[in-house]
DNA sequence: TTGACAAACGGAGTCGACTCCGTTTATAGT
DNA sequence: ACTATAAACGGAGTCGACTCCGTTTGTCAA
């Protein structure tokens, strides 16, 4: 890749992140991003073939940070398996709350399947949860373990999460407890 | 409501349903629907304030049919609670598969929360699952019961379902079994 | 250093969702 | 039947996502 192209690629992401702080993702147009990054719309679209892919790339950066912080935690903790699971779950909920807008936009895009769920980092997120869930419920086989993790993640996707928070009137903590309660076998 | 208005309202839905059989939901533009229904775009939008709401209304019609057929089943069945739960679950998966496109479109819209999840019929869907899950796991309290049903529904939403089918390579039946296995307590 | 060319750029243009507003029409009260 | 009027209608117009293609530029081999 040419040097100028790489610079533009980076600049687009940082510019978008900046704009998303001031206005909602939906409010910021691709033209706004192009203008702020001092490039033409064509250039923007060559790097990220649509708004979703751009947001997806940004999300993956944040997920990367989240994964790192969890891995640091797991490296140094001496807590019980259940406590470890609950910690990661709680942190994940907090992380999602922080990036609510962006994640919601990404998850409701038509190309999510390609740019997001197939990504290496998403796979690592699944691995992280499998790693902390496995010691908590050792009776699960591989397929069941994966399935429960997928279900946990599905339940915390923007729509479902919003539904629980605002229609079911659950707090972040209550939601975490219900998930934990379902997945941690009662001896 | 004026008689002509009611006629147009109905005609829009039937016309849209017809067009969605020939082409994908995304391919059919609102203008196409308006033209086919022999009305102006303005009229279309007065009845359904956006494409999502229109699709939502159509989905709810189908959900209504699904609910009726399940209620018929429950009225006449003598199967065990577990078998009843599995039956409804299987039928729901089949129903969703049949309306995949439409439901996917509805569920990825920005206004889903208002026009879909808050609707009476969606609430009835939750009630249906609660009704068949409750006898299967009587140790659940009301909140837990609702939560598990919400989770079941979340897992079968278009994105999560597609992920399970195409990334995890699960069949409809396998998916149903995994859900059943998680929700039906092993004596 | 230079020149060939693939890669990158920019912006005008397309297409579809959605809005606005002047015109038409069903209907209710006389 | 007639008219007043609120409701409904239609389509031109706006806005934003995304595409296309003629122009510019970085880079590498000579």
């Amino acid at each position: 890749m040419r040097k100028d192209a790489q610079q533009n690629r980076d600049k687009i992401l940082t510019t978008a992140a900046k704009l998303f702080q001031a206005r909602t993702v939906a409010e910021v147009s691709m033209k706004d991003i192009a203008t702020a990054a001092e490039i033409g719309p064509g250039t923007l679209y060559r790097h990220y073939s649509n708004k979703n892919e751009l947001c997806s790339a940004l999300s993956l950066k944040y997920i990367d940070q989240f994964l790192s912080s969890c891995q640091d935690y797991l490296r140094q903790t001496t807590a019980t398996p259940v406590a470890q699971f609950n910690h990661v779950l709680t942190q994940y909920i907090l992380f999602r709350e922080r990036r609510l807008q962006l994640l919601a936009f990404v998850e409701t895009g038509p190309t999510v399947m390609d740019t997001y769920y197939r990504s290496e980092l998403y796979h690592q997120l699944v691995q992280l949860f499998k790693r902390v869930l496995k010691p908590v419920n050792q009776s699960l086989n591989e397929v069941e373990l994966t399935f429960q993790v997928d279900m946990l993640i599905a339940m915390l996707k923007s729509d479902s999460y919003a539904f629980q928070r605002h229609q079911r009137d659950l707090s972040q903590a209550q939601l975490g407890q219900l998930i934990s309660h379902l997945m941690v076998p009662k001896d």
Side-chain angles (χ1 to χ4, degrees), chain A:
Chain A
M1 180 177 288
R2 259 163 59 170
K3 189 154 53 70
D4 55 339
Q6 184 59 55
Q7 282 171 350
N8 274 333
R9 220 184 151 71
D10 297 342
K11 189 168 188 185
I12 288 167
L13 272 198
T14 46
T15 305
K18 212 169 294 170
L19 293 181
F20 291 157
Q21 284 173 2
R23 284 177 292 158
T24 68
V25 175
E27 279 166 4
V28 176
S29 75
M30 288 298 264
K31 208 170 156 216
D32 290 340
I33 297 171
T35 305
E38 296 170 297
I39 57 174
T43 304
L44 177 51
Y45 276 95
R46 202 163 332 87
H47 286 292
Y48 301 97
S49 60
N50 53 56
K51 197 172 178 179
N52 252 281
E53 201 167 300
L54 193 164
C55 292
S56 201
L58 201 50
S59 302
L60 290 174
K61 264 180 66 171
Y62 295 138
I63 289 187
D64 193 27
Q65 293 168 14
F66 168 72
L67 287 174
S68 295
S69 92
C70 280
Q71 274 145 15
D72 288 348
Y73 163 79
L74 290 176
R75 209 172 294 118
Q76 57 79 39
T77 187
T78 55
T80 64
V82 172
Q84 289 185 25
F85 173 74
N86 284 330
H87 176 89
V88 171
L89 178 57
T90 305
Q91 288 304 117
Y92 183 61
I93 292 175
L94 286 173
F95 160 71
R96 290 208 49 114
E97 190 86 32
R98 224 174 309 133
R99 305 297 176 187
L100 209 54
Q101 283 250 338
L102 187 64
L103 293 169
F105 189 86
V106 169
E107 285 165 1
T108 59
T111 57
V112 186
M113 206 61 185
D114 297 326
T115 58
Y116 194 73
Y117 295 134
R118 280 204 183 111
S119 71
E120 173 56 22
L121 277 173
Y122 184 81
H123 184 71
Q124 284 183 31
L125 179 67
V126 173
Q127 290 305 316
L128 170 68
F129 273 111
K130 283 171 76 170
R131 182 173 156 194
V132 291
L133 181 57
K134 191 167 192 166
V136 160
N137 187 347
Q138 295 177 346
S139 68
L140 297 177
N141 66 34
E142 184 62 20
V143 171
E144 290 164 353
L145 180 64
T146 304
F147 180 75
Q148 291 208 12
V149 167
D150 285 342
M151 201 147 175
L152 183 159
I153 292 175
M155 192 60 175
L156 295 175
K157 284 206 189 135
S158 41
D159 278 2
S160 302
Y161 182 77
F163 183 75
Q164 294 302 316
R165 291 299 310 278
H166 303 120
Q167 298 295 118
R168 300 289 185 227
D169 274 319
L170 297 181
S171 67
Q172 293 179 18
Q174 287 172 314
L175 197 41
Q177 280 158 23
L178 281 165
I179 292 175
S180 183
H181 185 259
L182 176 63
M183 305 223 160
V184 177
K186 325 102 197 73
D187 54 291

